[in-house]
Amino acid sequence: MQLFDVYPLMNVTPEKASGVYLWDNTGQKYLDLYGGHAVISIGHSHPHYVKKISEQLNKIGFYSNSVQIPLQKEMASKLGELSGYEAYHLFLCNSGAEANENALKLASFETGKAGVIAFHGAFHGRTSGAVAITDNQKIVAPFNSGHRVFFEALGDLDAVEQRLKGGEIAAVIIEGIQGVNGIQVAESNFLKGLSTLTKKYGAKLILDEVQSGYGRTGKFFAHQWTEDLSPDLITIAKGMGNGFPIGGVLIHPDIEAKYGLLGTTFGGNHLACAAGLAVLEVLEEEHLMTNAEQLGDLLIKELKEGFPEILSVRGKGLMIGFDLKDEAAPYRSELIKSHHIFTGSAASKHTIRILPPLSVKKEELQLFLKSLREVINRMNP
């Protein structure tokens, strides 16, 4: 049997990883400034993470949600403490797409409506509802296209209100920072406006923090850079498990839980919770959110001031995108080939994304800047 060929693959075969580094099957070392789509939050193979998972696996790896799993409550308590959302409730699942599906379902249950407002450039996942609210028609099958979804321009409150006035909208969903779209940051006034409008017209505000959450921007969630914003639902995944499949929905206490309302086979299993707890503990003990904010500010400043070839730099913390005058793919390829540094692509062919583990050090970012300068000089003689 052959694999279903849906991914263009780099000619690199990682076999080992530690911290912000990977080693391939030839022993070559790589600096990982992409973290597998922002998944690696506390660093590859962190000793505390490995220890917690190993200890849990030696006890019990899995049982369904039909039994008591105290680790779920322990994780919810720690997540509430670090995020500042102690009063919210947590539903555990397996991925960001699944988290968004469940958030949409809850919004629809609560409002009795079916419509969803999303934004141009959005990426929310590849399952049925999540892909319908993703602004990429190439990956939306006819089966997925029957959802009531309306795309508006990021920042256009008037268009959002006109759509809400129609009375059919269950939810407005927006990423804390648009990731796949090249690190597009919504203005605080826009986010506050969405909160006001959803309350006014009886819709739910969903913040998709799948990529932008878990300390990546220097706050626990990217939307927390906007003061006094309390979404109805917050979706999480990627950095949540440092590579272990886990996702979740933070649910406002006004939304009442009922038996059978949501469900999952694997969500919140023993191993997932052990991984999730380990991530939260390391984030707190190693002050990784502070590290993300400080080093992100440094990197953004250096990219803006030291590279006239860069047209635009966007982001917060260690969630950064920058645009080159030329297409970015050859530059990314050269960074891998000649300097052994992983970076990320984006919807725009001119954009490079930087999403390293939050444990990255200043000297590792300086190595990247030096390498980027050499690549740009080589490509522009």
Side-chain angles (χ1 to χ4, degrees):
M1 182 182 291
Q2 298 293 316
L3 294 173
F4 197 51
D5 189 9
V6 292
Y7 299 115
L9 301 179
M10 292 183 287
N11 189 27
V12 180
T13 307
E15 286 194 342
K16 186 178 73 169
S18 178
V20 297
Y21 293 100
L22 303 165
W23 288 262
D24 69 13
N25 56 345
T26 71
Q28 178 61 58
K29 183 179 179 181
Y30 294 82
L31 175 60
D32 183 11
L33 297 186
Y34 191 56
H37 310 303
V39 166
I40 303 302
S41 51
I42 61 172
H44 293 281
S45 306
H46 191 287
H48 181 67
Y49 175 82
V50 172
K51 181 174 181 286
K52 291 280 281 195
I53 293 177
S54 300
E55 287 176 351
Q56 186 58 51
L57 187 57
N58 283 322
K59 296 175 184 176
I60 177 173
F62 170 82
Y63 207 76
S64 75
N65 284 294
S66 60
V67 300
Q68 298 286 329
I69 304 177
L71 280 170
Q72 292 181 348
K73 293 182 179 180
E74 189 179 346
M75 183 177 172
S77 177
K78 193 68 176 175
L79 176 55
E81 175 191 339
L82 289 193
S83 69
Y85 281 103
E86 293 95 336
Y88 280 52
H89 299 142
L90 175 65
F91 176 75
L92 289 165
C93 54
N94 307 286
S95 71
E98 189 180 343
N100 284 330
E101 294 278 351
N102 282 289
L104 292 169
K105 187 187 292 186
L106 281 174
S108 186
F109 273 134
E110 284 291 301
T111 63
K113 301 171 184 177
V116 179
I117 295 174
F119 295 95
H120 291 303
F123 187 96
H124 296 289
R126 293 177 180 269
T127 52
S128 185
V131 81
I133 57 172
T134 289
D135 188 22
N136 182 352
Q137 290 306 303
K138 292 179 180 179
I139 63 172
V140 180
F143 172 73
N144 309 126
S145 62
H147 296 277
R148 297 288 291 162
V149 179
F150 306 94
F151 289 99
E152 305 295 351
L154 200 67
D156 192 343
L157 283 174
D158 290 338
V160 171
E161 183 164 20
Q162 287 303 311
R163 188 67 68 181
L164 284 166
K165 283 180 178 178
E168 63 177 315
I169 300 301
V172 175
I173 185 166
I174 185 169
E175 292 161 89
I177 294 175
Q178 286 187 336
V180 172
N181 197 33
I183 316 300
Q184 305 296 333
V185 184
E187 296 291 335
S188 288
N189 286 342
F190 181 62
L191 294 177
K192 286 182 177 180
L194 292 180
S195 180
T196 299
L197 289 174
T198 50
K199 288 179 174 65
K200 179 179 178 179
Y201 292 100
K204 300 300 179 186
L205 178 60
I206 303 172
L207 255 295
D208 178 344
E209 294 278 4
V210 168
Q211 185 173 128
S212 56
Y214 261 71
R216 177 149 295 281
T217 66
K219 302 282 190 184
F220 197 89
F221 293 123
H223 73 262
Q224 290 173 318
W225 287 100
T226 298
E227 294 182 1
D228 302 321
L229 182 67
S230 298
D232 297 291
L233 300 144
I234 305 166
T235 57
I236 50 179
K238 293 192 185 299
M240 187 177 183
N242 202 51
F244 197 100
I246 182 171
V249 187
L250 276 65
I251 303 164
H252 194 283
D254 287 350
I255 298 175
E256 183 183 354
K258 300 180 181 70
Y259 290 150
L261 189 68
L262 303 178
T264 172
T265 296
F266 297 105
N269 67 72
H270 296 78
L271 273 182
C273 288
L277 266 171
V279 168
L280 291 169
E281 288 163 354
V282 172
L283 277 175
E284 181 179 36
E285 291 167 11
E286 298 187 5
H287 309 289
L288 295 186
M289 287 188 282
T290 300
N291 192 61
E293 181 178 1
Q294 292 176 347
L295 292 189
D297 286 348
L298 174 68
L299 184 55
I300 289 171
K301 181 176 183 290
E302 291 290 337
L303 288 169
K304 284 182 175 179
E305 296 179 359
F307 292 84
E309 301 86 354
I310 292 177
L311 301 178
S312 174
V313 183
R314 301 170 300 280
K316 288 184 180 294
L318 292 173
M319 187 172 187
I320 298 169
F322 60 90
D323 298 336
L324 296 166
K325 294 177 182 178
D326 304 319
E327 289 193 6
Y331 293 83
R332 293 182 59 241
S333 296
E334 189 64 17
L335 280 167
I336 293 171
K337 179 183 175 183
S338 299
H339 298 273
H340 309 110
I341 297 175
F342 280 93
T343 58
S345 62
S348 168
K349 293 182 179 180
H350 293 262
T351 303
I352 292 178
R353 277 192 290 168
I354 305 297
L355 301 161
L358 307 186
S359 56
V360 70
K361 294 180 174 60
K362 181 178 179 180
E363 53 266 32
E364 290 153 349
L365 295 180
Q366 288 174 329
L367 173 62
F368 162 68
L369 290 167
K370 178 176 179 290
S371 300
L372 179 62
R373 167 48 60 206
E374 291 178 10
V375 168
I376 288 175
N377 288 346
R378 193 177 309 134
M379 304 282 280
N380 298 273

